[in-house]
Structures are given as C-alpha cells and as structure tokens.
Amino acid sequence: MGTVILNLGENFLSGGIPDCWLNWQNLHVIKLSNNRLNGSIPSSMGTLQSIVSLHLQKNHLSGEIPLSLNNCTDLILLDAGENELHGNIPRWIGDGLRKLVVLSLRSNKFSGYIPDELCAIGSLQVLDLADNNLIGSIPRCVSKFRAMAKFNGSMGTAISYVIGAGTFVATIVMKGQMLEYSTNLNLVRSIDLSNNKLSGEIPVEVTSLFELQALNLSHNLLCGTIPDRIGELRSLESVDFSVNKLSGSIPESMSYLTFLSHLNLSFNNLSGVIPLSTQLQSFDSSCYEGNQLCGLPLPKKHSANVAIYNGGGGNDNEFEMEWFYFGMLYGFGMGFWSVFAPVVINRR
C-alpha cells in the first residue's frame, strides 16, 4: 500500500482539531499547517502508529503536547512551531521518538530546561527550539546527535516514500531566512536555540558535530568564550551568536570556515583583532558591532577607537594626542624664533 496522506494545510480551517483519529490508523502524513486551528492537540492522535510526518505549525494551538504521541514511534518529522503551546519540552520525546529527523517547536511558550533526553535521538538532523522561554544551559550531550556528526546520506525507507509523494516539506530558518526543504532535506543539519533565556557557556561538545551547517544561539544570556575548536566544523554555512554575553577573542580557527556565508557576532563582549581570512573580512562590519573588536572589515576610525579603549584610555587618550601635536608645533615655533630672532635684531 502507498503513502496515505491527509493534506488540509493552508485552508483557513478554524476551530479545534477533531478527536476522531482512531478511524485513521493507516495515515502516514498529516498536514494541518497554516490554518486557524485552536484548542489542544487531541490525545487520540497518539493512536496513529503508522504516522511518520505530523505538520501542525502556524496555527493557534494551545496546551501541552499530549503524552499519547509517545506511541507514534515511527515519527520522523514533528513540527508544531508557531503556535501557543506551553509547559516543559517533554522528556519522553527523547525516550520514545527515536527516529525523529526534524523536531521543530519554535515560536511557542515552552519554558523550563532543554531535556538531556533529546540527545538520545541520534537520527536528529534539525533541532529548532527558537523563540520560547527556555532557561538553563545547552546540554553537553549534544555530541550524541550522530546524524549531525557524520553524514549518513539517507533518512530511512519510510521517509523516502513521503519525499517521493512530494508532500514532505520542512520549514527551517537558515541564514536568517525561513526556507522550505523537501527533497534536499536529507542534506540539512541545523540547530536553532535563539531567542530564549539560555545561560552558561557554549559547550565545547558542539564542535564534534562536523556535519552541522547552521548554528543559531543568538538572543540568549550565554557567557564565556567561543570554543577554540569551532573551526573544525568545516560544513558550517551560518553562525549567529549575536546579543549574548560572550567574551574573549574570536578564535583563529574561524578563519578555516570556508563555506561560511552568514555570520553575526554583534553585541557581545568580544575583544581583540578579527582573524584574517577571506571569509571573515568579507562580511559587513555590522556583523561585529557592539564589541571591542578591531581590524577589517571594521572602519579604521572605529578600530583606532577600540584600540585606545582596550588600552584603558578612551577619549582621554585622544585628548592627550591632540595636545601632543599642539606641543610639537608650539615647541618648533619657540625654537625657531629663539635662534633667528637675535640674528634679525643684531642686523638691525
């Protein structure tokens, strides 16, 4: 039997999702995205043991993710982003949904910590928890995301049918833009934890995800330094660490990121000279603003001010430099007339 699909996306549907899924046991794909649905996700959806792709994004759904979805062990994509869901991110997602490739819960009202149990999903290629109220640190166990560490080339047989049917589309934020991926989804590796209240340091374990293409940790409360080994992530195309509390210098290894086409390190406490590389100097200076950095592509005037700032002088040093040049001119004038004035007077 082929792929059974229920596609009701983008139909201006309103009201609640019917609680009648016991009669749809053969469904593989449910698309209810881009509607005006409200209320909670019905628990009867947990009876759909054949489902591999569940699209609920861009509605007005509220409440928590029902525990019954733990039974949908063949789920490969779960997208409930851009709703009004709340509560903690369920730990059982990592325990039960071990085949997930895409997990998107962005733009909701989730709170609490990112559960370590998510690290058990070795097949995960896209993790998007952006725009929530998450706190705490980024789990150090992220190194267990095997699909982000080593390219496996395939997402499995089940997803191949769905992609072949032309209905499998994942919406992912890449390089600051919302993009849709379908047949090329198996090539995407992305982590987006931006716009939360995450604290602590960027775990060095992130640097073991060698196939990662996009890493967005912006608009959080992260501190410490950028991991020195970040340059080992040679597949990175997009990095956004802006609006945090990161300090120290930009690691020299970032100059090795030859595929990097989107970078934002603005508004942190970074200092020192921007490493020289074709990539890092090709970005607009706004990518580095709001720090104490110097060097290209920052304007020379800005770089000079930063250098003075780092030396502890600031505007006082600029004032002293002006007096220094004034003193030189004054001294030259006095010396000139002290030598030549007597000659002129004697001649007269």
Side-chain angles (χ1 to χ4, degrees):
M1 184 176 64
T3 304
V4 183
I5 300 168
L6 176 63
N7 187 356
L8 297 175
E10 302 181 24
N11 275 295
F12 301 102
L13 298 177
S14 58
I17 299 176
D19 195 4
C20 59
W21 298 100
L22 284 168
N23 302 321
W24 296 75
Q25 291 300 299
N26 295 323
L27 273 176
H28 295 99
V29 178
I30 296 178
K31 296 190 71 174
L32 299 175
S33 52
N34 290 278
N35 283 295
R36 300 169 182 171
L37 299 171
N38 55 36
S40 59
I41 300 172
S43 58
S44 62
M45 276 192 160
T47 64
L48 302 173
Q49 297 186 14
S50 297
I51 192 168
V52 296
S53 183
L54 178 57
H55 304 254
L56 302 173
Q57 70 270 25
K58 294 186 179 180
N59 282 289
H60 303 289
L61 300 174
S62 57
E64 300 186 3
I65 299 177
L67 175 62
S68 60
L69 286 184
N70 189 35
N71 299 319
C72 302
T73 53
D74 285 332
L75 259 181
I76 290 174
L77 182 146
L78 174 58
D79 191 344
E82 299 182 62
N83 280 287
E84 299 169 20
L85 300 170
H86 60 79
N88 294 337
I89 294 177
R91 296 180 180 274
W92 54 258
I93 290 180
D95 293 329
L97 308 183
R98 295 290 183 90
K99 296 181 181 180
L100 275 179
V101 172
V102 177
L103 174 61
S104 178
L105 302 176
R106 69 176 294 114
S107 301
N108 278 286
K109 298 178 180 179
F110 289 108
S111 56
Y113 300 93
I114 299 175
D116 288 348
E117 283 79 0
L118 292 185
C119 297
I121 311 174
S123 57
L124 202 62
Q125 295 179 194
V126 176
L127 175 62
D128 191 346
L129 305 178
D131 301 311
N132 282 289
N133 296 309
L134 302 175
I135 61 172
S137 58
I138 299 171
R140 304 186 71 92
C141 58
V142 292
S143 56
K144 294 182 180 179
F145 291 141
R146 295 189 306 274
M148 299 187 195
K150 185 177 181 181
F151 184 71
N152 56 15
S154 173
M155 294 185 293
T157 305
I159 207 64
S160 297
Y161 290 122
V162 182
I163 288 177
T167 60
F168 190 91
V169 176
T171 304
I172 302 167
V173 175
M174 288 280 283
K175 305 178 184 180
Q177 296 181 323
M178 189 79 75
L179 303 174
E180 288 190 345
Y181 292 84
S182 55
T183 55
N184 55 348
L185 181 62
N186 64 324
L187 303 175
V188 178
R189 307 286 190 278
S190 171
I191 293 178
D192 192 343
L193 305 177
S194 61
N195 289 288
N196 282 289
K197 299 174 183 176
L198 299 173
S199 56
E201 299 186 358
I202 300 174
V204 68
E205 286 79 5
V206 168
T207 60
S208 65
L209 304 178
F210 301 120
E211 297 296 329
L212 195 63
Q213 294 167 303
L215 179 59
N216 191 345
L217 306 178
S218 65
H219 291 82
N220 279 291
L221 304 172
L222 298 173
C223 60
T225 59
I226 299 174
D228 285 335
R229 292 170 47 196
I230 192 168
E232 296 181 16
L233 302 182
R234 302 296 177 86
S235 298
L236 272 180
E237 300 175 19
S238 177
V239 174
D240 194 340
F241 295 159
S242 62
V243 195
N244 277 289
K245 299 180 179 181
L246 300 174
S247 57
S249 59
I250 298 175
E252 290 286 340
S253 68
M254 286 199 79
S255 61
Y256 305 149
L257 302 177
T258 54
F259 290 108
L260 199 62
S261 58
H262 180 268
L263 175 68
N264 194 346
L265 302 177
S266 62
F267 299 103
N268 281 284
N269 297 317
L270 300 172
S271 59
V273 181
I274 299 171
L276 289 174
S277 76
T278 305
Q279 294 300 113
L280 297 182
Q281 269 67 50
S282 68
F283 297 111
D284 188 82
S285 60
S286 61
C287 301
Y288 302 104
E289 68 179 335
N291 291 287
Q292 291 93 49
L293 294 165
C294 59
L296 294 174
L298 293 174
K300 289 183 178 180
K301 182 179 179 182
H302 177 75
S303 298
N305 289 341
V306 170
I308 292 169
Y309 175 83
N310 284 342
N315 293 331
D316 291 338
N317 277 5
E318 291 179 6
F319 183 72
E320 290 172 8
M321 288 295 288
E322 291 174 2
W323 274 103
F324 173 74
Y325 289 117
F326 176 77
M328 285 180 64
L329 292 172
Y330 179 79
F332 175 79
M334 291 297 293
F336 177 84
W337 284 110
S338 65
V339 173
F340 290 97
V343 175
V344 174
I345 292 170
N346 288 338
R347 288 187 65 182
R348 287 179 180 176

